[in-house]
Amino acid sequence: MADIRQEAMAQGIVAQISGTTLWRWLSADALRPWQHRSWIFPRDPDFALKAGRILDLYARIWQGKPMQTSEFVICADEKTSIQARRRKQPTLPAAAGRPMRVEHEYFRQGAWTYLAAWDVHRAKLFGHCEKKSGIAPTDRLIAEVMRREPYKSAQRVFWIVDNCSAHRGHKAVERIRSRWPNALLVHTPVHASWINQIEIYFSIVQRKVLTPNDFSSLGHLEECLMDFQTHYQQTANSIPIPMDFHTERPLRSPRQTPTPSSRCRGVRKYVTVIPVYCTKLSMILPAHNGS
């Protein structure tokens, strides 16, 4: 506030002003100059078509027709390079009036890639750790799911994935289809992997398991990830919640009007509402460091 006050007087906006008055002006205009929000515009030219197709799958619709009970939708991705860091001094648990204390310096214990798959409508979770990402680890994750019932004998299993090198393009679609004839890859728009619901789970893992990053070994990290995955699976429920995302609108003359794709239901001028099936934890798993 002192900096803003000095700048207002330096620019000649006012000769003198108190911090209280300046704060009242900012509050009245709902201005928060110290806050910012980072975001990215979709750059995929087929964004509306690709996003609409995934929204349809979340609503159990494919190519304009309701899906059968023997068809399933799975979101999958990998969380790469999860570092295991052993702190140089023991972490001190939280105490009355004092938060947990984590030593800043650490030893690197290695890294895992965590691959996970989420059944959107059945609230089922699958996953394991690999030394690195790639085509073979991705195929192992898909095989882990497709060898189980009801996916093994399902009519179709739709796999929603992003455009990373391990499962990008038509070659990946054909590779998976050749091994699992009832599996169909559906790609998110470029630079829009956040439409994939597995990212919701990864964000929870980041907050509940990986923060703070304090693991005695690489095995300890893997154990914590698998323990949380089991706990999450036992307590998760498939419930619909709304999610808003902004779509880029190209510059147009005043005479032009927007013509959003019919597949992107609920598209208004700038905001589309996505019916996302998230998870709800009935309890909080104690942190892995005992705090």
Side-chain angles (χ1 to χ4, degrees), residues 205-245:
V205 168
Q206 183 65 45
R207 297 192 306 270
K208 298 289 186 179
V209 183
L210 303 180
T211 304
N213 191 327
D214 181 13
F215 301 97
S216 60
S217 65
L218 201 58
H220 182 208
L221 169 58
E222 182 180 18
E223 180 184 359
C224 290
L225 285 170
M226 294 300 99
D227 285 348
F228 184 78
Q229 178 177 297
T230 300
H231 167 76
Y232 191 87
Q233 171 64 71
Q234 293 172 348
T235 59
N237 296 292
S238 179
I239 58 174
I241 63 171
M243 175 186 289
D244 293 342
F245 69 96

Side-chain angles (χ1 to χ4, degrees), residues 120-137:
V120 173
H121 303 110
R122 299 177 67 241
K124 299 297 181 182
L125 182 63
F126 311 90
H128 64 270
C129 292
E130 298 268 3
K131 291 184 178 179
K132 59 181 180 178
S133 59
I135 293 177

Side-chain angles (χ1 to χ4, degrees), residues 25 35 37 45 66 76 88 113 117 124-125 129 132 159 162 197 206 223-224 229 252 268 278 291:
W25 287 1
Q35 296 180 353
R37 183 176 181 180
K88 292 186 176 181
T113 291
K124 299 297 181 182
L125 182 63
C129 292
K132 59 181 180 178
W159 284 79
D162 61 16
Q197 291 187 22
Q206 183 65 45
E223 180 184 359
C224 290
Q229 178 177 297
R252 57 181 183 270
R268 292 182 281 277
C278 188
S291 63

Side-chain angles (χ1 to χ4, degrees), residues 13-210:
I13 299 174
V14 292
Q16 285 290 333
I17 187 172
S18 67
T20 303
T21 301
L22 185 57
W23 185 269
R24 187 172 65 251
W25 287 1
L26 294 174
S27 298
D29 290 331
L31 298 178
R32 301 291 184 272
W34 53 88
Q35 296 180 353
H36 77 279
R37 183 176 181 180
S38 176
W39 70 324
I40 184 172
F41 279 106
R43 295 192 292 271
D44 194 316
D46 298 323
F47 177 84
L49 176 63
K50 294 178 180 179
R53 183 170 55 184
I54 293 176
L55 302 190
D56 281 349
L57 285 174
Y58 290 159
R60 295 197 61 81
I61 297 173
W62 179 250
Q63 296 180 343
K65 298 180 180 179
M67 293 171 55
Q68 304 295 321
T69 55
S70 59
E71 294 178 310
F72 303 92
V73 179
I74 293 179
C75 293
D77 200 6
E78 53 275 328
K79 190 172 179 63
T80 60
S81 190
I82 303 176
Q83 299 287 331
R85 296 171 178 171
R86 178 169 61 87
R87 303 293 165 172
K88 292 186 176 181
Q89 296 295 330
T91 294
L92 300 179
R98 188 194 71 191
M100 177 176 57
R101 293 182 176 178
V102 181
E103 168 65 40
H104 176 71
E105 294 185 327
Y106 55 85
F107 298 102
R108 295 183 184 272
Q109 300 296 108
W112 281 124
T113 291
Y114 180 36
L115 296 96
W118 169 251
D119 188 322
V120 173
H121 303 110
R122 299 177 67 241
K124 299 297 181 182
L125 182 63
F126 311 90
H128 64 270
C129 292
E130 298 268 3
K131 291 184 178 179
K132 59 181 180 178
S133 59
I135 293 177
T138 297
D139 289 353
R140 284 193 285 270
L141 174 67
I142 295 177
E144 178 183 347
V145 177
M146 296 302 296
R147 290 191 180 120
R148 303 173 182 233
E149 294 292 354
Y151 313 105
K152 183 178 180 179
S153 58
Q155 181 178 346
R156 282 184 300 191
V157 181
F158 297 91
W159 284 79
I160 297 175
V161 295
D162 61 16
N163 295 275
C164 82
S165 58
H167 38 68
R168 178 175 56 204
H170 186 69
K171 288 185 178 180
V173 174
E174 292 300 322
R175 185 185 80 246
I176 299 304
R177 178 64 71 88
S178 66
R179 299 181 182 181
W180 309 100
N182 60 341
L184 177 62
L185 291 188
V186 180
H187 293 94
T188 62
V190 177
H191 299 301
S193 59
W194 38 266
I195 298 178
N196 192 332
Q197 291 187 22
I198 195 64
E199 298 295 345
I200 300 175
Y201 170 69
F202 283 157
S203 68
I204 296 173
V205 168
Q206 183 65 45
R207 297 192 306 270
K208 298 289 186 179
V209 183
L210 303 180

